Amino acid sequence: MFAKHENFINRELSWLKFNSRVLGEANDQQKPLLERLRFLAITSSNLDEFFMIRLAGLKHQLESGVNKIDAAGLTVEQQIMQISEAAHAMVKEQYRHLRSILRNLEQDEIYFCDVQEIKGKDKEWLDNYFHHTVYPVITPMAVDASHPFPFLANRTLNLAVTLRRDNEISMAVIPVPGGLPRIVAIPGNAKKKRFVFLEQIIMTFAQKLFYGYKIQDMAAFRITRNADLSIDEEDVKDLLAEVEKSLRQRKRGQAVRLEIAKSTKPDIKEFLIQALKIVEPDVYEISGPIDLTCMMKFVDLPGCDQLRYIPLVPQMPADLVGEEDLFAVIRQRDILLHHPFESFRPVIDFVRQAATDPKVLAIKQTLYRVSGNSPIVRALAQAAENGKQVTVLVELKARFDEENNILWAKRLEEAGCHVIYGLVGLKTHAKMILVVRQEESGIKRYVHMGTGNYNDTTAKIYTDMGIFTANDQFGADASGFFNVLSGYSDPPVWNKIVVAPLGLREKIESLIDREITFAQEGRPARIIVKMNALLDKEIIMKLYEASHCGVKIDLIIRGICALRPGIPGVSENITVRSIVGRFLEHSRIFYFSNGGDEKIFLSSADWMPRNLNERVELFFPVDDERHTERIKGILELLLKDNRKAYVMKRDGGYRRVDRRGKGINSQSWLMELASQAANVPEISLAQRLKPMYRKDL
């Protein structure tokens, strides 16, 4: 009954709906203009990754003769067709929003100019810029019998040029230099900020690259390639070397998308289709500048603070206000951190203090994604140089962070750290730090566990939770966890934590089963789940069973959700909502009413097959009553959000939550609540969350 195709939503189409919600933020008239532009850039970046990984994977399946049916009843071929239709519509909407934003920016004296309209001294400046800055780095490439179509790197912008000499037509390609600014400021006007795109400058002066030929036509284009890594870990002797080899292969993957200027004449378009061996549905004709990810840097334009959000100032957690000795505070009580509303600095300080504390004997940590200039990695290196025993698991296969992680792994090894790369066939996605300290009473273990990466940059824009604890049972679990990762130890019997892929699926199902039992006994039964994605078919069917038995289930799923709510007799007790706002909702929180003995867990894992079956993940309880009350309040606040929340309909589409009544923007509330708690730490955040209805912030 629960396994019918019509009870599920296709993964890829669900993701595209999520990206549409992100795109919707670019059309929010209440949002500062440059922030709207930022969401356009985010949407484009998301689409790039989708094409490079998800669509590329489907195309590879089809080429390999695999056309299996997914949980929603779609074949691979049907998925590709529906993806193409939805993605083309999304791109058109992107550029409608772009034109609207650019028109509005002109009211603030910010102009994107057409090079052809620039005259006088400004044209002279552009001429000089081309000859002295652009021309020296340009390499025009002929395409003919002796010059085959050049290899063009993934996601690079290029110009295709049709040339005429006498009665002969020739083709050439000009790669747009990636080392130069894509958006060029025209100097000389104090009041107006004027900009042109680099490719327009090149097109204006390109004739000077082809003496003896006449340019007949020119068009900007961009290629997206298959960027998925294929690593057979079973036969690999050196994982580091194998990942480095695969990264080189990634750059040469098969083209899966061609973006080209809409005004392009058919001969250039056909030439590129043939050269890249793609089909017409993979061609995206763009009505504007290709590749809006370039706007990610532009939105930080100096002197335009009024067009951006007021900067967030992350607060010190109330438990740590005025405290200097982290270890002393953690010995007294567990500390809950809620980023970005509360500062990530205590996590950095935790490792820094451990690195210099003479009582610390060892530090062990997992690293999945870190920033480009990570203070945590520097502190780990310093700890090793100070003679501490430092063990770091660096996940080399963290998608699109492989090169960064390889660099850090080598630097940590040079500093004297023991660097390990995890278990064969599994990505290590768990987030844990263990500090072992010699104290008067004996060995004491301090642990940090979280829902997000140890990345000080993303901690400012991703919502995540973490806990510091000196609980002996967590400490013993942490030691056992790292022994499993670094050696040949079988998993022990855990005291507190649950670890995927051994046991997490079973734990989730048992927690749901317990709610089912309470519902069948006529007792209150409720589940609240906050995650990034819900895709696992078996878990979804277990949620359907719970709903059928009367369990009330509220799902806060930011992105992919394959579950379909509101089906009579199946999911009528389930609601699904997605919050898309200023910060990326990234925390994984799980609430079970448990017959009145409420249980709350945090985790690094979403409920997806890859997290439950193919990754090392952590799932751990929140034991401190202060923190459980606080997290319950946060969950209820998220469920009451009527400014940034979308509710999924039975057909899989989404609608904005009804905005009537008191306005609640959950992220804005949490910013203010964190600020108030830091200034008056004796009043807990849990207490401050109780008055739920306040003015919209």
Side-chain angles (χ1 to χ4, degrees):
M1 169 172 126
F2 301 133
K4 295 177 181 177
H5 291 316
E6 56 266 32
N7 291 345
F8 296 87
I9 297 167
N10 172 260
R11 170 194 175 130
E12 320 305 346
L13 299 178
S14 178
W15 184 91
L16 286 168
K17 287 186 173 70
F18 158 66
N19 209 38
S20 289
R21 298 194 292 280
V22 176
L23 180 56
E25 292 298 297
N27 196 38
D28 183 350
Q29 308 299 315
Q30 304 303 313
K31 195 183 301 295
L33 277 172
L34 290 178
E35 299 296 347
R36 291 173 59 188
L37 198 57
R38 191 191 306 274
F39 273 94
L40 276 185
I42 293 170
T43 306
S44 288
S45 178
N46 288 348
L47 267 181
D48 282 352
E49 184 171 340
F50 179 78
F51 277 94
M52 289 188 292
I53 303 299
R54 300 306 310 173
L55 183 64
L58 289 172
K59 283 181 171 291
H60 180 69
Q61 287 184 44
L62 199 59
E63 290 164 4
S64 303
V66 177
N67 198 24
K68 63 181 181 181
I69 296 175
D70 78 330
L74 297 178
T75 65
V76 173
E77 189 172 16
Q78 288 171 328
Q79 291 180 63
I80 291 173
M81 289 173 60
Q82 292 190 33
I83 287 168
S84 177
E85 181 180 346
H88 275 90
M90 184 181 297
V91 170
K92 289 179 181 177
E93 187 176 355
Q94 270 187 296
Y95 282 87
R96 283 198 298 271
H97 293 339
L98 176 66
R99 289 189 289 272
S100 172
I101 292 169
L102 295 186
R103 283 195 301 270
N104 286 320
L105 282 174
E106 291 180 357
Q107 298 174 19
D108 290 278
E109 303 291 352
I110 297 173
Y111 299 86
F112 280 83
C113 306
D114 187 330
V115 174
Q116 302 301 324
E117 298 174 358
I118 295 174
K119 308 295 181 185
K121 291 183 179 180
D122 292 333
K123 188 65 172 286
E124 290 177 15
W125 183 89
L126 285 176
D127 188 300
N128 183 68
Y129 183 81
F130 174 80
H131 282 92
H132 291 89
T133 303
V134 182
Y135 183 84
V137 296
I138 284 183
T139 305
M141 295 181 286
V143 181
D144 55 29
S146 61
H147 299 88
F149 189 84
F151 176 78
L152 302 171
N154 186 25
R155 293 186 291 174
T156 54
L157 188 62
N158 304 274
L159 300 175
V161 187
T162 305
L163 301 165
R164 178 183 291 277
R165 184 170 187 169
D166 299 328
N167 291 322
E168 291 186 7
I169 300 295
S170 302
M171 299 298 299
V173 172
I174 307 173
V176 176
L180 296 177
R182 172 76 188 285
I183 299 173
V184 180
I186 302 173
N189 191 318
K191 293 183 178 180
K192 294 183 179 180
K193 294 181 173 66
R194 296 173 301 155
F195 302 90
V196 294
F197 287 94
L198 178 59
E199 63 271 24
Q200 282 198 353
I201 298 174
I202 297 172
M203 292 172 78
T204 300
F205 300 101
Q207 183 62 64
K208 297 179 182 182
L209 300 170
F210 302 102
Y211 288 109
Y213 290 81
K214 182 178 180 181
I215 294 178
Q216 186 167 293
D217 195 16
M218 220 176 337
F221 70 97
R222 179 175 182 256
I223 304 166
T224 309
R225 297 185 180 276
N226 182 338
D228 205 5
L229 295 186
S230 179
I231 301 172
D232 183 3
E233 294 184 54
E234 295 292 341
D235 298 322
V236 169
K237 295 181 180 179
D238 187 337
L239 182 60
L240 181 64
E242 186 64 22
V243 172
E244 289 180 313
K245 176 183 173 183
S246 296
L247 286 172
R248 291 191 294 271
Q249 294 172 347
R250 168 187 278 173
K251 297 175 182 178
R252 306 189 68 87
Q254 175 64 38
V256 294
R257 176 179 60 166
L258 168 64
E259 296 168 277
I260 190 168
K262 189 171 184 179
S263 58
T264 304
K265 292 181 180 178
D267 56 340
I268 289 186
K269 178 180 171 182
E270 188 59 34
F271 164 73
L272 291 172
I273 288 174
Q274 295 296 324
L276 297 169
K277 297 182 174 60
I278 62 171
V279 293
E280 182 71 32
D282 296 327
V283 179
Y284 287 73
E285 297 188 2
I286 305 299
S287 300
I290 294 172
D291 182 17
L292 296 181
T293 61
C294 66
M295 295 296 181
M296 200 70 80
K297 292 182 179 178
F298 180 79
V299 297
D300 294 323
L301 185 66
C304 297
D305 291 347
Q306 77 281 7
L307 300 178
R308 289 184 290 266
Y309 288 129
I310 297 172
L312 167 69
V313 179
Q315 300 298 311
M316 186 59 63
D319 283 340
L320 297 178
V321 172
E323 302 286 354
E324 293 185 2
D325 187 343
L326 264 174
F327 298 114
V329 180
I330 298 169
R331 274 197 304 275
Q332 296 172 17
R333 56 187 179 271
D334 290 356
I335 308 296
L336 177 68
L337 308 173
H338 192 194
H339 315 300
F341 316 106
E342 294 174 335
S343 175
F344 189 70
R345 197 182 80 194
V347 181
I348 299 171
D349 289 344
F350 182 59
V351 184
R352 281 177 173 163
Q353 288 186 21
T356 57
D357 186 339
K359 294 182 179 180
V360 169
L361 305 176
I363 306 172
K364 303 182 182 185
Q365 180 167 2
T366 60
L367 291 178
Y368 190 75
R369 299 186 195 275
V370 295
S371 63
N373 189 28
S374 173
I376 284 181
V377 174
R378 291 199 302 273
L380 291 169
Q382 182 187 8
E385 291 164 356
N386 289 343
K388 317 279 185 206
Q389 183 87 4
V390 180
T391 303
V392 187
L393 187 145
V394 179
E395 180 48 72
L396 296 182
K397 304 183 295 295
R399 184 174 289 151
F400 299 121
D401 274 308
E402 300 95 343
E403 292 182 80
N404 191 43
N405 286 2
I406 288 171
L407 176 65
W408 284 125
K410 290 179 177 178
R411 290 187 180 176
L412 286 167
E413 285 181 332
E414 290 169 1
C417 301
H418 300 293
V419 178
I420 54 179
Y421 303 128
L423 304 174
V424 172
L426 299 173
K427 282 186 180 180
T428 301
H429 192 246
K431 328 294 182 186
M432 179 183 280
I433 305 172
L434 168 64
V435 172
V436 182
R437 199 166 182 263
Q438 178 68 61
E439 300 182 355
E440 291 182 6
S441 58
I443 293 292
K444 189 70 176 175
R445 288 173 286 207
Y446 298 82
V447 180
H448 176 271
M449 299 170 290
T451 67
N453 299 307
Y454 291 114
N455 187 317
D456 54 296
T457 299
T458 58
K460 298 171 184 174
I461 54 175
Y462 289 15
T463 73
D464 272 305
M465 286 188 172
I467 283 183
F468 286 121
T469 183
N471 179 292
D472 290 337
Q473 290 185 310
F474 276 120
D477 282 353
S479 290
F481 175 75
F482 281 104
N483 288 342
V484 169
L485 293 180
S486 63
Y488 289 110
S489 173
D490 286 335
V493 176
W494 307 109
N495 299 298
K496 291 283 190 179
I497 68 174
V498 184
V499 179
L502 301 175
L504 180 51
R505 178 184 296 278
E506 293 75 14
K507 177 66 173 180
I508 293 166
E509 290 179 349
S510 70
L511 288 167
I512 299 172
D513 279 333
R514 198 155 57 184
E515 297 301 318
I516 291 172
T517 299
F518 290 130
Q520 290 172 334
E521 293 173 352
R523 300 167 66 183
R526 190 182 186 195
I527 297 170
I528 306 174
V529 171
K530 180 182 182 297
M531 295 182 298
N532 301 318
L534 172 58
L535 185 61
D536 189 86
K537 184 176 180 180
E538 284 70 31
I539 296 293
I540 290 173
M541 288 196 293
K542 179 61 68 173
L543 291 172
Y544 284 159
E545 179 187 348
S547 170
H548 178 74
C549 293
V551 179
K552 177 177 170 51
I553 302 170
D554 293 302
L555 303 175
I556 308 167
I557 312 294
R558 184 195 79 220
I560 301 167
C561 182
L563 177 148
R564 194 184 295 273
I567 304 172
V570 175
S571 58
E572 56 195 347
N573 287 314
I574 302 177
T575 67
V576 179
R577 69 190 59 227
S578 171
I579 294 175
V580 180
R582 173 175 177 175
F583 307 111
L584 183 81
E585 292 290 342
H586 193 254
S587 53
R588 289 97 169 185
I589 308 171
F590 308 89
Y591 166 89
F592 299 88
S593 61
N594 194 37
D597 181 20
E598 299 168 309
K599 299 294 182 185
I600 288 179
F601 301 86
L602 302 178
S603 181
S604 60
D606 296 311
W607 288 354
M608 302 175 71
R610 71 183 188 192
N611 298 95
L612 302 178
N613 305 334
E614 301 163 11
R615 290 186 173 187
V616 178
E617 302 274 14
L618 279 180
F619 182 88
F620 54 93
V622 179
D623 290 337
D624 189 310
E625 185 178 349
R626 297 176 309 132
H627 300 329
T628 58
E629 287 301 310
R630 177 181 169 191
I631 293 172
K632 279 167 51 184
I634 290 170
L635 288 173
E636 291 295 342
L637 176 62
L638 294 170
L639 291 172
K640 293 179 183 295
D641 190 311
N642 60 3
R643 287 296 180 265
K644 293 300 177 183
Y646 296 76
V647 173
M648 187 196 285
K649 299 180 290 185
R650 180 178 166 184
D651 64 4
Y654 285 79
R655 61 170 177 80
R656 283 192 179 271
V657 172
D658 189 340
R659 292 193 167 201
R660 289 176 293 184
K662 297 286 185 179
I664 299 177
N665 178 334
S666 57
Q667 293 184 353
S668 294
W669 276 41
L670 289 167
M671 288 169 62
E672 184 187 25
L673 290 166
S675 179
Q676 292 177 0
N679 291 329
V680 193
E682 66 271 15
I683 302 178
S684 72
L685 265 177
Q687 291 173 288
R688 292 188 176 279
L689 280 164
K690 287 180 180 178
M692 298 302 298
Y693 291 100
R694 302 177 55 195
K695 64 183 179 67
D696 187 3
L697 305 173

